[in-house]
Amino acid sequence: MKSNVEELMPRLLPVEFGACSKDLDLNGAPRNPQEYLRQVQLEASLYPEVVVAEIDPKKLKKKKQTVNVSVAVCQAAPMGFCPSLSWQQKQVSNFSDVRQSIMKNRQHWSRQTLDDNVLMPKLTDEEGWKRFCLGEKVYLETTSCDTAAESEPALDYSKEGFPPFLSIVSRLNQSTVLMVLEILISWFEERSFTPQLGRWLYALLACMEKPLLPEAHSSIRQLARRCAQLRSTLESQEDERLPALNLLICLVARYFEQNDLADQPE
């Protein structure tokens, strides 16, 4: 008679056994494939269909382990430094328009010919990207005292850094966008804010596709926290860095939906 299991479950390997299978020795070596399969079936029938593990309760009485998980948030803006909700909503709307324009015209701009002096760094060249985006003056934290150089009408991008022209950022795929963003955020962690840095951060955020990758979430949250930390050190509401810092915090929190980082107006 077939077991209940055999009745409910179809045979994956239907094999016909002769009358000699009744005298089959489980301890002996199978002489053919049929005997091997029959041995497997007979051996399986010796085990109960339901097995209950025996657990000693005493061994479970150990010290409870707890894991503390903390989600870092932004420092609250000092009194008078927090942007209004209407201002934040306006920035998100403008940013959305910029992103749509970039996506719509990405193919067009990526086909534009770059000037001969635009030499984009290799993918893994971190130092090269810092020089390319920020310029030697900012990257090396030097100021030029050469009056002859200052009198030259041509702009030296190697010293000032290349702006995030659409013809440049449209050539960056998503992995490069994220990598350059991480490089600049890492540089920003140990230094102050500059206009060159702000332009590139805004442009790279505008080029990031949604939904974001997990590592992208981590990077933009790090950016917002750094902006908030620097903002907390500003001594005046007239500081020219304040609008840019507020803007970056706003975009990370409001547009990319990191709501726990959002500024809450008084």
Side-chain angles (χ1 to χ4, degrees):
M1 180 180 293
K2 296 181 180 179
S3 67
N4 293 335
V5 175
E6 289 178 324
E7 292 176 353
L8 296 174
M9 299 178 62
R11 291 184 179 182
L12 296 181
L13 293 173
V15 179
E16 296 296 332
F17 301 102
C20 62
S21 63
K22 297 181 180 178
D23 301 326
L24 186 63
D25 182 10
L26 291 178
N27 297 322
R31 292 169 295 181
N32 51 55
Q34 289 79 4
E35 286 192 1
Y36 170 76
L37 293 174
R38 188 56 181 164
Q39 280 186 348
V40 173
Q41 289 182 345
L42 293 176
E43 185 177 1
S45 66
L46 298 177
Y47 293 94
E49 295 180 4
V50 179
V51 180
V52 180
E54 297 181 0
I55 300 176
D56 186 356
K58 296 181 180 179
K59 294 182 179 180
L60 298 178
K61 294 182 179 180
K62 297 181 179 180
K63 184 179 180 181
K64 294 182 178 181
Q65 296 182 352
T66 58
V67 178
N68 296 322
V69 179
S70 60
V71 179
V73 297
C74 287
Q75 291 183 244
M79 185 67 68
F81 285 68
C82 180
S84 66
L85 181 58
S86 61
W87 182 89
Q88 296 182 58
Q89 293 171 339
K90 179 63 175 177
Q91 303 312 313
V92 169
S93 177
N94 292 342
F95 183 68
S96 179
D97 292 340
V98 171
R99 283 173 57 86
Q100 291 180 15
S101 178
I102 291 177
M103 292 179 62
K104 182 179 179 180
N105 299 290
R106 175 182 291 274
Q107 188 173 12
H108 165 76
W109 284 109
S110 64
R111 293 175 177 174
Q112 301 303 305
T113 303
L114 297 176
D115 293 339
D116 294 338
N117 63 331
V118 183
L119 301 177
M120 298 178 64
K122 295 182 179 179
L123 179 62
T124 57
D125 185 3
E126 294 189 12
E127 303 305 312
W129 280 109
K130 293 174 186 177
R131 290 176 180 269
F132 183 84
C133 300
L134 304 175
E136 293 180 358
K137 288 184 179 180
V138 173
Y139 171 61
L140 301 176
E141 297 181 331
T142 60
T143 56
S144 176
C145 296
D146 188 349
T147 56
E150 292 178 355
S151 63
E152 294 179 359
L155 180 61
D156 188 348
Y157 284 125
S158 64
K159 293 182 179 180
E160 303 295 335
F162 286 91
F165 295 127
L166 287 174
S167 56
I168 293 178
V169 297
S170 295
R171 283 174 161 78
L172 307 180
N173 58 33
Q174 284 301 292
S175 60
T176 305
V177 168
L178 180 57
M179 187 207 65
V180 177
L181 182 64
E182 291 176 344
I183 291 174
L184 296 181
I185 292 174
S186 177
W187 183 89
F188 182 34
E189 283 285 342
E190 299 178 357
R191 294 168 181 82
S192 188
F193 187 85
T194 67
Q196 296 96 316
L197 175 65
R199 288 192 290 267
W200 269 98
L201 292 175
Y202 186 93
L204 293 171
L205 290 177
C207 291
M208 294 183 68
E209 297 177 358
K210 297 177 70 174
L212 299 181
L213 298 173
E215 53 268 33
H217 279 282
S218 176
S219 295
I220 64 175
R221 289 180 66 87
Q222 181 183 356
L223 171 60
R225 291 194 296 269
R226 170 55 180 154
C227 289
Q229 188 276 328
L230 180 58
R231 181 179 61 183
S232 67
T233 67
L234 301 183
E235 298 181 353
S236 170
Q237 299 178 26
E238 304 302 321
D239 194 304
E240 61 181 8
R241 295 172 293 179
L242 180 59
L245 296 175
N246 282 340
L247 175 59
L248 292 173
I249 296 171
C250 170
L251 297 180
V252 170
R254 303 286 184 181
Y255 185 86
F256 291 104
E257 300 175 344
Q258 306 300 302
N259 297 317
D260 59 310
L261 304 179
D263 283 321
Q264 303 299 333
E266 297 89 348

